[in-house]
Amino acid sequence: MILFLIVLLCLPLAAQDTPKRSVAFTYDDLPNGGAQMPLDQLTAMTTKLVDGLKQAKIPAIGFVNESKLEVEGERPQRIALLQQWLNAGFPLGNHTYSHPDINKVPMLSYQEDILKGEHVIGGLMKEHGQTLSWFRHPFTHTGNTEQARETLEGFLQRKGYRIAPFTVETSDYMFALIYRNALEKRDKAAADKIQKAYVDYSERMFTWFERLSQDNLGYELPQILLIHANQLNADALPALTAMLTRRGYSFISLEKAMKDEAYRRRDAYVGDNGPSWLHRWAIAANKPNRLRDEPDPPSWVIELYREQTK
Ligand SMILES: [Zn+2]
């Protein structure tokens, strides 16, 4: 009887140890981030990633750069890869045609690039009974002057777009580049080491942003993870989701995450960077800007990345 009572008393405690958390997975730079992939590799990567997400019942969304479809003789096959996302139930969003930086190009050409970026995906979404509505800024740069920001926001609104924010990112493009090079050299030990470091660093970043949410909002909001469609994320998906499940995460759609009231807050950020919306709301509320306190990836990862992108 006493044992039974102890077990009973411990149960709620155990449940409390792991808070209920949620996260939406958003993938940028479809069909793939980084340098163009040969079609056979790209097809295998897409299939692995999309099937992995579907099997794990993770609702995802993919943000597309249609310029990456323009490979001579491969356009229909590359469009078919976007179809794979839709067939699995994942909507597509506009990430501009060619990934320009709003801080570096004239407003008009940026806007043209947005419109050029919806030709294929607009039609594909319609075929699947959906309306293209999500937009994510390349580099999540939203404008470095008040005027640029507002002009762009007005334009997106008139075109019927909703801006997709993010709260957690993991510098996955850095890990992904050195991972791909390790795979190309058939260095499995290095690839495994990079993959493990990536998942460990992702956990550090989630831990950090969970705390930032708690400090700034008083609770943990449904997080929105920004990562890229690449081989690393296809291969590391089971380890990444196992880590998140252990931390109490369930997986929800971007649409659902954004129902949380936090996302109704004003993003007042004007500047050259593309920080997490958790930073942006803090800036709007005159709270300390903790952008520089974010943990860095391991120094050996940064060094390898620098060496390999020289
Ligand atoms: Zn991007």
Side-chain angles (χ1 to χ4, degrees):
M1 182 62 185
I2 285 171
L3 187 68
F4 174 73
L5 272 176
I6 291 170
V7 169
L8 206 68
L9 283 169
C10 288
L11 271 178
L13 278 178
Q16 273 172 16
D17 281 351
T18 319
K20 274 204 164 113
R21 295 170 161 144
S22 57
V23 59
F25 274 29
T26 69
Y27 289 87
D28 281 10
D29 298 6
L30 264 58
N32 81 277
Q36 288 275 38
M37 284 171 94
L39 186 60
D40 57 338
Q41 277 177 28
L42 178 60
T43 305
M45 182 280 282
T46 303
T47 304
K48 187 170 185 181
L49 180 58
V50 169
D51 287 358
L53 288 166
K54 201 178 164 189
Q55 272 162 23
K57 296 193 168 58
I58 299 171
I61 179 168
F63 289 90
V64 179
N65 300 126
E66 288 192 13
S67 64
K68 293 186 168 172
L69 305 173
E70 309 301 340
V71 177
E72 179 128 30
E74 293 181 1
R75 191 175 144 87
Q77 294 92 322
R78 285 175 178 259
I79 292 175
L81 294 175
L82 298 180
Q83 291 262 24
Q84 263 181 257
W85 286 79
L86 285 162
N87 290 341
F90 306 137
L92 300 175
N94 187 345
H95 192 39
T96 72
Y97 177 77
S98 64
H99 215 276
D101 183 344
I102 182 62
N103 299 339
K104 292 182 182 156
V105 302
M107 179 61 71
L108 264 184
S109 60
Y110 190 87
Q111 291 176 350
E112 278 166 16
D113 211 81
I114 293 174
L115 298 180
K116 203 175 169 188
E118 62 185 28
H119 286 164
V120 175
I121 55 175
L124 290 179
M125 285 284 280
K126 214 178 258 174
E127 279 170 30
H128 281 80
Q130 300 183 56
T131 312
L132 180 65
S133 63
W134 290 107
F135 176 78
R136 177 170 278 147
H137 306 75
F139 313 100
T140 57
H141 289 174
T142 45
N144 57 7
T145 65
E146 203 73 63
Q147 199 203 357
R149 237 199 91 100
E150 274 169 28
T151 307
L152 186 54
E153 243 177 50
F155 176 82
L156 289 167
Q157 215 167 40
R158 283 196 301 282
K159 297 293 171 191
Y161 280 109
R162 292 177 75 187
I163 295 170
F166 79 95
T167 57
V168 184
E169 64 88 31
T170 55
S171 301
D172 69 322
Y173 65 94
M174 254 187 212
F175 292 87
L177 181 133
I178 61 171
Y179 181 73
R180 190 173 160 178
N181 289 340
L183 287 182
E184 252 158 43
K185 279 193 277 177
R186 299 184 191 280
D187 189 345
K188 191 176 178 314
D192 287 349
K193 187 182 166 196
I194 294 161
Q195 196 185 131
K196 192 183 173 302
Y198 170 57
V199 176
D200 288 348
Y201 178 64
S202 297
E203 180 156 23
R204 283 189 66 199
M205 290 301 268
F206 267 93
T207 308
W208 198 84
F209 281 110
E210 285 157 9
R211 209 166 301 143
L212 189 64
S213 177
Q214 197 58 261
D215 291 350
N216 285 350
L217 308 176
Y219 69 104
E220 282 185 36
L221 85 174
Q223 303 281 1
I224 299 174
L225 173 68
L226 186 168
I227 48 180
H228 297 81
N230 56 43
Q231 192 63 51
L232 173 63
N233 279 320
D235 295 346
L237 185 67
L240 188 67
T241 54
M243 177 277 284
L244 289 169
T245 305
R246 175 167 50 74
R247 297 189 69 76
Y249 278 95
S250 61
F251 304 98
I252 60 173
S253 65
L254 174 62
E255 190 85 43
K256 189 167 176 199
M258 286 198 63
K259 289 205 162 70
D260 189 274
E261 61 180 19
Y263 293 99
R264 290 204 292 270
R265 283 165 190 254
R266 208 169 84 82
D267 157 21
Y269 177 77
V270 174
D272 288 329
N273 299 313
S276 161
W277 264 248
L278 281 165
H279 291 303
R280 293 168 187 249
W281 299 322
I283 294 163
N286 289 319
K287 290 190 170 160
N289 181 354
R290 287 167 60 191
L291 185 54
R292 282 167 190 276
D293 302 340
E294 279 182 26
D296 289 326
S299 51
W300 63 268
V301 171
I302 299 176
E303 269 163 42
L304 280 180
Y305 177 79
R306 282 193 187 138
E307 269 167 34
Q308 294 175 19
T309 48
K310 257 184 203 159

